[in-house]
Amino acid sequence: MMFNPLTKLNMKQQLILLFLVMVSPVFLLHWYGNYQAEKLLKNHVTNAYVELIKQNHALINRDIDTVNKITTTFIQNPITQQLVPSVKDTVIERVRKYDSVDNLLANNSIPLNGGEAVYYSLYIYDPEDLYFFAPKRQVLQTGVYFFSDHNKPVWFDEAVSMKGSGYMDIIETNVGLSRIQTLAYIRAVNDVKLGTRMIGVLVATKLDMKIQESFRSVTLPEGHLMMFTDWSGRILSATDSALNGKTAELPAELNALEPESIGTTHLITEDFIYISSNNRQLDQRLVYQIPVDSLLKQQNELKRIIQLITIAYMLLGCVFLLYFWRSLMTPLQKLAQFVRSYEPGKLVPETPGRRRHDEVGVLMSALYDMARRLNALIHYKYNMDLKAKESQLQLLYQQINPHLLYNTLESIYWKSTLEGNSESAEMIKELSKLMKIGLSRGRELIRLEEELEHAQAYVNLQQKRYSYEFKVQWHIPEAAKQVLIPKISLQPLIENAIIHGVKLMGEDGEIRISAALEGERVTIAVEDNGYKQADLAAIDRLLNEEKADHSLGYGIRNIHQRIRLHFGIPFGLGYRRREEGGTAAVIVFPATYEAPAP
């Protein structure tokens, strides 16, 4: 058989192990479910933000494209094309041109598509200071400014080198008395008619505010960061304005995933989710940096709720474990302790938990009651053993007189034989046989051969005593003579056959004693041809009913009960009518033999 290692554990350890086995899958399922939920949430949210960043980038490109179109319109405007420093123009003409361009710039510095406004300024190189009346430094957010070599902006030469192509850069500008940084769209203004002649540089400022307005239209988890950078990673605008002009710190894996021209990429790290919308042609990149903790904040709240439920489940399980331990295991431990300490005959204490009606209560009551019954049985057996010893002593005492009588009869038999009284001697001889077989040295079961000798002695004694002339036939096979039978089983049946059957029939009376051995079964029949009809129903009641009418006698009931006590319920004595007339008494018992002598 397979070895069960749990048998080495006591019930307490097995119950704790069962509790751990039941609770562990809950924690494993909780951990695996959270892991898979986080993974799915990150993937789904990332896919959603990929679509969102595309729309956000398209909105920013639309605003930049609008600014580009306005600058193109402004450059192509005749008013702008006329604003070239020339000594030929009078001061009044220069003032009018300046005022016209300044109004044109102011009219275009209005909010685009609603929201934040983009402010336009025109910077013109005036080394001869022909526009001396115009401001030399930026005071307002929009206007026309003239400069010479000593106050030329640092970005002016780069703008000229771009030959009319616009680009974005972070520049410093004066607004009133303050100097601020701003994201500007810079584009050189060339003479439309003479492409080689440069008029000035047009600058559109506050683009960072316009981009941040686009950022605000997007809702992301708390702690997020949006960055609009050029291709080198320089931050042009971000939700945190302190980062403007700095290099974006992005994972190297994200840069390795960037497409060659246009497209989106994303990267999920342990702390952040990075989503990038790239446009190499425009030298732009929009990046979302989303903290995983903020993204999973709601899920973490749900996780904490599940953890609290799990802890509550575990505590509830501990309460149930404690309850079942006190209700089930403690009584079983007491029961086991009682079984270990119990000794037969020792006083049994009062049954614990007698008021319980469940299986444990029934088991404890049954075991304690069984121990009490066992004690009672031990005391009963002890008393029976004492009585048996007393009975044996009494039987030995009673056997002294029959042995003395038997020896005396033997002496009388020999004396009668010597004196010539042969008939008296034979009767004495038969009587001594009856005494001898009746004693049987204390045995209860004797060989059928001995029982037949006893029965034949009884028949001979009766025939000589009363001068009966009935016939007796013996049909006993040799094989059946060695089986064991309770002693004095045939004599009462033969006595009944004489008294109630053939007693008054003279030489017409006939008694037949026969035996049959069939396998493991022995059948002995005592039959008579008496003319009286026996009351078989009354005999059956006498043999089988518990409270029978003993007026019919004790002999045959005694035979029937002794056979059943020795051999079992299926065997015993029974009566039937003979087809030829008369009655037959039949004994049925199993074939048993004496054990061979050692």
Side-chain angles (χ1 to χ4, degrees), residues 89-120:
D89 296 333
T90 64
V91 175
I92 298 300
E93 290 176 345
R94 294 174 195 161
V95 172
R96 289 175 180 173
K97 290 181 180 180
Y98 166 77
D99 186 61
S100 298
V101 174
D102 189 67
N103 290 332
L104 180 62
L105 291 172
N107 292 333
N108 283 281
S109 299
I110 59 175
L112 298 175
N113 303 319
E116 296 289 342
V118 177
Y119 298 95
Y120 296 90

Side-chain angles (χ1 to χ4, degrees), residues 76 174 588:
Q76 294 175 354
N174 295 323
V588 180

Side-chain angles (χ1 to χ4, degrees), residues 419-478:
E419 292 178 353
N421 296 325
S422 58
E423 186 174 353
S424 297
E426 289 298 325
M427 293 181 67
I428 294 172
K429 179 66 175 178
E430 299 298 339
L431 182 58
S432 66
K433 286 183 180 181
L434 288 177
M435 296 295 297
K436 178 181 178 181
I437 296 174
L439 293 174
S440 301
R441 291 174 292 181
R443 293 177 299 161
E444 182 63 26
L445 294 177
I446 61 176
R447 288 180 286 111
L448 180 58
E449 183 178 17
E450 297 177 79
E451 179 66 14
L452 291 173
E453 184 180 357
H454 175 272
Q456 192 167 10
Y458 173 77
V459 171
N460 292 337
L461 186 61
Q462 291 296 321
Q463 285 180 330
K464 291 177 180 180
R465 178 184 177 186
Y466 296 107
S467 300
Y468 289 149
E469 297 179 356
F470 58 84
K471 300 176 183 178
V472 180
Q473 298 181 5
W474 305 86
H475 299 279
I476 310 297
E478 289 296 327

Side-chain angles (χ1 to χ4, degrees), residues 235-440:
I235 300 175
L236 302 178
S237 181
T239 51
D240 184 3
S241 58
L243 298 176
N244 292 350
K246 297 181 180 180
T247 302
E249 297 179 359
L250 301 176
E253 296 87 346
L254 182 64
N255 295 326
L257 295 173
E258 290 178 359
E260 296 182 356
S261 57
I262 299 175
T264 58
T265 57
H266 62 272
L267 176 66
I268 301 176
T269 64
E270 184 176 355
D271 299 323
F272 295 98
I273 297 176
Y274 294 93
I275 305 172
S276 176
S277 178
N278 311 288
N279 192 329
R280 185 65 177 270
Q281 296 176 355
L282 299 177
D283 194 28
Q284 299 172 0
R285 181 166 62 175
L286 179 62
V287 180
Y288 288 172
Q289 179 180 292
I290 304 171
V292 174
D293 292 339
S294 298
L295 178 65
L296 301 177
K297 184 177 181 180
Q298 293 182 349
Q299 184 180 359
N300 290 334
E301 294 178 358
L302 180 61
K303 186 191 301 184
R304 283 193 292 271
I305 294 175
I306 296 176
Q307 289 175 346
L308 291 176
I309 294 175
T310 303
I311 294 173
Y313 169 76
M314 185 175 65
L315 293 177
L316 184 63
C318 292
V319 172
F320 276 105
L321 181 66
L322 181 61
Y323 170 76
F324 281 108
W325 179 261
R326 298 186 61 182
S327 177
L328 180 63
M329 301 308 301
T330 301
L332 289 179
Q333 284 181 331
K334 292 182 179 179
L335 189 61
Q337 183 179 2
F338 168 73
V339 172
R340 292 192 186 99
S341 62
Y342 172 72
E343 296 179 2
K346 183 179 178 182
L347 180 64
V348 179
E350 183 180 357
T351 305
R354 183 176 291 275
R355 295 181 179 180
R356 295 182 60 152
H357 299 289
D358 57 355
E359 289 78 358
V360 176
V362 173
L363 178 62
M364 295 183 70
S365 298
L367 189 60
Y368 275 77
D369 292 343
M370 182 178 67
R372 294 189 183 95
R373 289 195 298 270
L374 181 59
N375 285 350
L377 183 61
I378 291 173
H379 289 297
Y380 175 77
K381 185 177 183 302
Y382 175 74
N383 294 329
M384 289 299 102
D385 289 342
L386 289 179
K387 291 182 180 180
K389 296 296 183 182
E390 293 176 357
S391 299
Q392 289 179 358
L393 291 175
Q394 186 67 23
L395 180 62
L396 290 174
Y397 174 76
Q398 292 176 353
Q399 284 181 344
I400 294 175
N401 291 333
H403 275 289
L404 178 62
L405 179 60
Y406 169 72
N407 293 331
T408 302
L409 290 175
E410 286 289 329
S411 300
I412 296 173
Y413 166 72
W414 288 109
K415 181 175 176 52
S416 299
T417 302
L418 292 175
E419 292 178 353
N421 296 325
S422 58
E423 186 174 353
S424 297
E426 289 298 325
M427 293 181 67
I428 294 172
K429 179 66 175 178
E430 299 298 339
L431 182 58
S432 66
K433 286 183 180 181
L434 288 177
M435 296 295 297
K436 178 181 178 181
I437 296 174
L439 293 174
S440 301

